[in-house]
């Protein structure tokens, strides 16, 4: 799988994401031999840069963040195809320049007029950029060649705004030319969920309400949100990561087996299961939210969320959210899916834990009241990529004593191959025109349908989100959410 000729146009090239992830990922692809030597990259931004300035900056970003070693020859080849368009996103002159540059690159770099427009910009600009691309005949360029548009989340703020956004983008680019990035789908371990579930015979028979007690999906981060006030205030943990990453993980965990991994088959199954998500009647009892206070994160003293620079000190934005969902299908009816995400938690970890029911007739009753005997299959998405199965075993000795043990699969031990960064995989797929890993607008809208009622409920509360200490596992209300059901959160 090697990309063909083309030009990748980055809007918002000087932003954080482009500097830390996108340019390094493009370089890594080139370094792994997955881009053609004459590939072209166009930066579009407000800075007054020349192509040389852009290349100099790109070199620094790559040196700081690329995964593969720096290779002068590879970089020189890439840099020869770099151009910079200096202008505002609504500046017609800049789009004329862009059109001329793409003409020039079609000649000098034989791009075949294949153009991918990557919008790493605030969503409020999506409409303008799409319209300008259309007006300047770049959204449907001269033949031959293809045009694709890549959009970064957030895909809207709620269902209504997501619909509007989808309409705008898809009025300019046909649906199969729109690539919505959810970088979790680019992660090796997330794709491996499909392999684990559908490439093996031993898990699937147990993957249903007869054997599964509940599922816990956790995305814990130890970082705070210093420096991201302009994005995060008014967004919060649920909109930031539950609406997209965690609901995608839920969809992959719970969906039926697709007929194939074709984009349409895979995405239809995800959409179907998201459509079957049932909202709880009592939203308060089925959710929790919190804000981290000041305190200690390990050896580091950290400020509380409300004292982070740029945030309204009365902000009700949550930095932790947990929700309980059910899925109305024959397979899952009665099995709660608990999703939680938070900043400044005990450690950085993302995992999916499928927790099984206890054996119906526990012979070893000493431990009946705790988690003993409750098998679990845990897919460790990051950082310690792999999977764990928990089961009971006899403790060596003359007594029949039983203890829970784990059986581990770790990527580091099992494979010598290294995992590509999520953005490498996704950018390559955009260039190859392979859409399975990019959510369709229906999935995005279903996810908002699920989240909106929680958001509305939280917004109606007069109180602040519940406080929790940095380095903890979230507010007490989140533990209570589980306790009400006689369950506990895992401590990964
Ligand atoms: C982003 C969120 O989508 O994912 C961030 O906006 C979050 O708030 C990030 O920190 C986490 O990504 P990863 O790949 O480090 O888990």
């Amino acid at each position: 799988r090697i990309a063909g000729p083309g030009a990748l146009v980055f809007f918002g090239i000087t932003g954080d994401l482009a500097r830390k992830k996108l340019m390094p990922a493009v370089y890594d692809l080139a370094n792994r031999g997955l881009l053609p030597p004459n590939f072209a990259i166009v930066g579009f931004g407000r800075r007054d840069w020349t192509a040389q300035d852009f290349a100099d900056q790109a070199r620094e970003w790559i040196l700081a963040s690329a995964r593969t070693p720096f290779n002068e020859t590879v970089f020189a080849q890439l840099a020869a195809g770099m151009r910079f368009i200096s202008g505002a996103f609504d500046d017609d002159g800049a789009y004329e320049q862009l059109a001329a540059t793409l003409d020039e690159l079609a000649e000098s770099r034989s791009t075949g007029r294949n153009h991918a427009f990557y919008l790493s910009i605030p969503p409020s600009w999506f409409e303008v950029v799409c319209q300008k691309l259309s007006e300047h005949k770049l959204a449907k360029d001269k033949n031959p060649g293809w045009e694709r548009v890549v959009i970064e989340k957030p895909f809207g703020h709620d269902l209504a705004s997501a619909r509007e956004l989808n309409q705008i983008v898809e009025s300019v680019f046909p649906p199969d030319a729109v690539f919505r990035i959810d970088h979790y789908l680019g992660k090796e371990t997330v794709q491996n969920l499909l392999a684990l579930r559908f490439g093996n015979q031993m898990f699937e028979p147990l993957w249903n309400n007869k054997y599964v007690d509940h599922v816990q999906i956790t995305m814990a981060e130890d970082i705070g949100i210093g420096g991201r006030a302009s994005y995060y205030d008014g967004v919060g943990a649920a909109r930031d990561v539950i609406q997209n990453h965690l609901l995608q993980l839920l969809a992959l965990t719970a969906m039926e087996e697709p007929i194939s991994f074709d984009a349409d088959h895979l995405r239809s199954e995800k959409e179907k299961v998201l459509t079957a998500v049932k909202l709880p009647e009592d939203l308060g009892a089925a959710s929790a939210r919190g804000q981290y206070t000041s305190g200690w994160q390990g050896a580091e003293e950290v400020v509380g969320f409300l004292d982070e620079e740029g945030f309204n000190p009365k902000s009700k934005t949550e930095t932790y959210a947990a929700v309980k969902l059910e899925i109305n299908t024959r397979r899952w009816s009665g099995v709660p899916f608990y999703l939680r995400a938070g900043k400044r938690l005990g450690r950085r970890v993302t995992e999916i834990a499928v927790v099984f029911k206890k054996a119906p007739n526990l012979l070893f009753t000493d431990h009946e009241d705790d988690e003993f005997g409750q098998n679990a299959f845990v897919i460790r998405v990051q950082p310690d990529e792999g999977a764990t199965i928990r089961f009971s075993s006899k403790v060596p000795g003359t007594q029949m004593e039983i203890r829970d043990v784990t059986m581990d699969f770790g990527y580091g031990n099992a494979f010598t191959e290294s995992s590509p960064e999520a953005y490498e995989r996704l950018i390559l797929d955009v260039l190859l025109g392979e859409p399975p890993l990019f959510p369709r607008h229906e999935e995005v809208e279903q996810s908002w349908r699920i989240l909106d009622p929680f958001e509305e409920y939280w917004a109606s509360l007069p109180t602040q989100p519940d406080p929790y200490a940095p380095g903890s596992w979230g507010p007490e209300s989140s533990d209570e959410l589980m306790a009400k059901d006689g369950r506990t959160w895992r401590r990964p």
Side-chain angles (χ1 to χ4, degrees), residues 335-357:
V335 178
F337 281 68
Y338 300 96
L339 276 49
R340 62 174 164 168
K343 304 277 184 190
R344 287 254 183 262
L345 297 182
R347 56 176 281 234
R348 174 174 181 251
V349 61
T350 301
E351 63 162 44
I352 301 162
V354 179
V355 182
F356 291 90
K357 294 180 177 169

Side-chain angles (χ1 to χ4, degrees), residues 62-77:
I62 290 163
L63 280 169
S65 306
R67 290 209 166 181
T68 59
F70 194 77
N71 177 320
E72 278 299 345
T73 315
V74 172
F75 180 75
Q77 234 167 26

